[in-house]
Amino acid sequence: MTPAEPAAPRVVVADDQELVRTGFRLILTARGIDVVGEAADGAEAVAAVRELRPDVVLMDIRMPVMDGLEATRRVLAQTPECRVIMLTTFDLDRYVYAALAAGASGFLLKDVTPEHLASAIRLVRTGDALLAPSITRRLVERFAGGEHQHSAGGEHRNSAGGAQQPGTPAVHRDLAALTQREREVLTLIGRGLSNGELARTLTLSEATVKTHVARIFAKLALRDRAQAVVLAYETGLVSPGGSAATRQERR
């Protein structure tokens, strides 16, 4: 008996440019992806997710009323099973790091090919991260050292220059729950290693590595590898621009 085809992903597109929203809708609909709603700003995006319960949100970082960062935090707080893909015009946008820390599953440039856009939505819908760990690490190394830090007044500034609620990024978690091996695995994830590379480095089977990764995610309430990389930097396991800050001795 042939297994049933998974239902088409349900998507909300949030962008302040109507032309962009229309273009994405046409591209996705033609590829069997159901665009259930659109939003012209972050506040509309939060309301649309609350009402429509999509699988994935395509979220522009820079929007009026409420930017994509705050919208992402609110979306994931109210609908944690939803996945958010950030949209940006420029590679290595300084706000991408904060978006990953807020729980976004990855980011896409707005000039992404139609095929890549559709495959990215299907990928994150399964719970995987859109970014390769090495790309995520490059983002973190560039911005973890201070570009996302508090302003002089103690508040974060959003992309429109307005005050942002404190707590971005907000991935600090107690690592005490991890075993020594799990700390080592998290450190290596933070350095950008894939599961295959982890297996070779630690002389373990890939199945064992996947088990360690799953346990780390469960213990630290991580959504995907993108957040795991951010957490490794935020907790000091890995230092920006350098190698691992701490390296557990292998047993």
Side-chain angles (χ1 to χ4, degrees):
M1 186 174 177
T2 305
E5 287 281 327
R10 301 175 70 255
V11 177
V12 164
V13 178
D15 194 288
D16 60 342
Q17 297 183 49
E18 184 176 1
L19 186 60
V20 171
R21 298 197 306 272
T22 300
F24 281 164
R25 176 185 283 275
L26 292 173
I27 288 170
L28 296 176
T29 300
R31 285 158 179 79
I33 294 175
D34 189 9
V35 178
V36 297
E38 298 180 12
D41 58 58
E44 287 186 10
V46 174
V49 171
R50 184 185 304 115
E51 176 185 356
L52 301 169
R53 299 284 171 169
D55 300 304
V56 179
V57 180
L58 292 178
M59 183 85 74
D60 188 20
I61 289 181
R62 302 177 183 183
M63 292 185 290
V65 182
M66 180 189 297
D67 69 16
L69 298 180
E70 180 61 23
T72 294
R73 282 189 287 272
R74 296 191 186 192
V75 162
L76 296 178
Q78 71 182 21
T79 315
E81 68 276 12
C82 185
R83 295 292 183 263
V84 177
I85 298 175
M86 305 303 299
L87 298 171
T88 181
T89 304
F90 303 104
D91 191 14
L92 290 180
D93 188 299
R94 63 176 296 183
Y95 298 103
V96 169
Y97 172 78
L100 294 175
S105 294
F107 82 104
L108 289 172
L109 297 179
K110 288 188 179 181
D111 62 357
V112 63
T113 65
E115 291 74 20
H116 190 184
L117 177 65
S119 64
I121 288 171
R122 291 190 170 95
L123 175 68
V124 301
R125 185 203 189 190
T126 67
D128 205 349
L130 177 59
L131 294 177
S134 59
I135 297 174
T136 310
R137 182 182 60 176
R138 183 161 54 99
L139 285 164
V140 174
E141 286 183 346
R142 175 160 179 177
F143 300 119
E147 290 192 41
H148 71 285
Q149 297 295 329
H150 294 253
S151 66
E155 295 176 319
H156 294 277
R157 313 303 295 181
N158 63 22
S159 56
Q164 190 93 322
Q165 291 297 320
T168 302
V171 296
H172 293 288
R173 294 183 175 90
D174 185 3
L175 302 183
L178 300 183
T179 65
Q180 179 177 328
R181 177 64 86 186
E182 288 165 352
R183 285 176 65 92
E184 184 172 19
V185 170
L186 179 59
T187 300
L188 295 175
I189 289 174
R191 295 176 63 190
L193 274 66
S194 66
N195 282 350
E197 291 168 334
L198 281 166
R200 291 190 294 274
T201 300
L202 299 174
T203 321
L204 299 172
S205 70
E206 195 159 342
T208 300
V209 167
K210 289 179 180 178
T211 298
H212 283 310
V213 172
R215 287 174 178 167
I216 292 167
F217 285 11
K219 288 180 178 181
L220 300 180
L222 296 170
R223 295 172 63 87
D224 51 39
R225 293 180 84 94
Q227 263 203 319
V229 174
V230 172
L231 180 64
Y233 278 84
E234 289 292 313
T235 55
L237 287 177
V238 180
S239 58
S243 58
T246 60
R247 184 74 182 274
Q248 301 296 330
E249 185 178 350
R250 294 179 201 155
R251 299 292 186 220

